[in-house]
Amino acid sequence: MVQDTPCFEYDFQFKDDKVSLKNSLLSEFCHRLAVDNLTQADSELLYNNSVRKNPNIQKLILLTCSLYIACKRNNCPRTMKEISAVSGVDVKHIGQYEHLVCTRYYPTKPSDYVDRFCSKLDLNYKQIQKVNQELLKVSKCTDNPINLCAAVIYKTMQHIGIDIKQLEDITGIPSSTIKRLSKNIYGV
């Protein structure tokens, strides 16, 4: 059970005779996730609008969910597990609150995750391009984009001996899910 904490302090910043609110907890989350200022501002806007509409809901979960959706909107997608690890909010709660924050959020594509995952696997440019090409071939799959990205990376780079455990650690997707989805997609 997540409880509201007194961490929701707002700093008043005076710049050019304009006052801007800045949530210190959100700033900390964005710093840990390497999220840009535009995404942080979008997240804060989503959060403030949601709090006005639903004042009785848990604010820490709402703040975390707002950050998740803002990341998707601004093309710097972070997985729910990444955001959960930084905020301490359970992935299940983030998913439950997602519809409260924004009914029309922008879904991510598997290709949004390729560069980050492949760079952590130390793949070169040609290998990353090969993964992107393979993703275009399986674009009709409607599976979770993170799962699909992990499965395509695994199948495409299997010939170079990619370590499934390392891929599991980087993506946060269990190796059994990666193998099962890979088998479903490629039938092998």
Side-chain angles (χ1 to χ4, degrees):
M1 178 93 165
V2 176
Q3 295 181 351
D4 284 343
T5 56
C7 303
F8 292 95
E9 299 171 12
Y10 280 92
D11 298 330
F12 287 97
Q13 295 182 343
F14 296 94
K15 217 179 233 187
D16 301 326
D17 297 329
K18 293 182 182 176
V19 179
S20 66
L21 291 175
K22 195 168 191 178
N23 187 309
S24 62
L25 188 59
L26 180 62
S27 295
E28 179 64 25
F29 293 165
C30 290
H31 175 72
R32 290 182 186 178
L33 289 166
V35 171
D36 60 27
N37 290 337
L38 181 66
T39 304
Q40 181 177 347
D42 190 26
S43 175
E44 192 158 2
L45 181 66
L46 282 169
Y47 170 74
N48 290 333
N49 289 340
S50 299
V51 167
R52 262 186 254 116
K53 291 177 187 173
N54 307 302
N56 297 327
I57 57 179
Q58 292 184 338
K59 292 174 179 49
L60 180 59
I61 300 173
L62 190 60
L63 182 72
T64 306
C65 185
S66 298
L67 179 59
Y68 173 66
I69 292 171
C71 286
K72 290 200 303 188
R73 278 186 176 178
N74 292 295
N75 291 328
C76 64
R78 300 294 184 262
T79 64
M80 282 189 191
K81 287 184 180 182
E82 289 174 317
I83 293 176
S84 174
V86 167
S87 67
V89 174
D90 188 39
V91 172
K92 178 181 163 187
H93 289 126
I94 297 172
Q96 289 172 344
Y97 273 59
E98 187 174 15
H99 75 280
L100 291 174
V101 176
C102 186
T103 54
R104 288 189 59 214
Y105 64 94
Y106 300 98
T108 57
K109 303 178 293 294
S111 58
D112 295 340
Y113 296 95
V114 170
D115 289 335
R116 189 171 37 158
F117 293 162
C118 288
S119 68
K120 289 181 180 178
L121 289 166
D122 294 326
L123 298 180
N124 63 34
Y125 179 75
K126 283 187 178 184
Q127 292 168 327
I128 293 172
Q129 288 302 102
K130 188 173 181 180
V131 170
N132 277 321
Q133 289 171 355
E134 196 61 36
L135 272 172
L136 289 174
K137 292 178 187 175
V138 297
S139 62
K140 294 178 183 174
C141 291
T142 58
D143 291 293
N144 177 319
I146 301 168
N147 292 356
L148 187 60
C149 179
V152 169
I153 290 171
Y154 174 68
K155 196 63 177 178
T156 307
M157 295 297 124
Q158 202 171 19
H159 70 281
I160 64 165
I162 193 168
D163 183 24
I164 188 84
K165 256 330 207 186
Q166 185 183 14
L167 185 59
E168 179 181 359
D169 292 339
I170 290 169
T171 61
I173 307 299
S175 58
S176 58
T177 303
I178 295 170
K179 288 178 181 179
R180 179 185 45 78
L181 187 55
S182 179
K183 186 176 181 181
N184 290 346
I185 294 169
Y186 296 102
V188 179

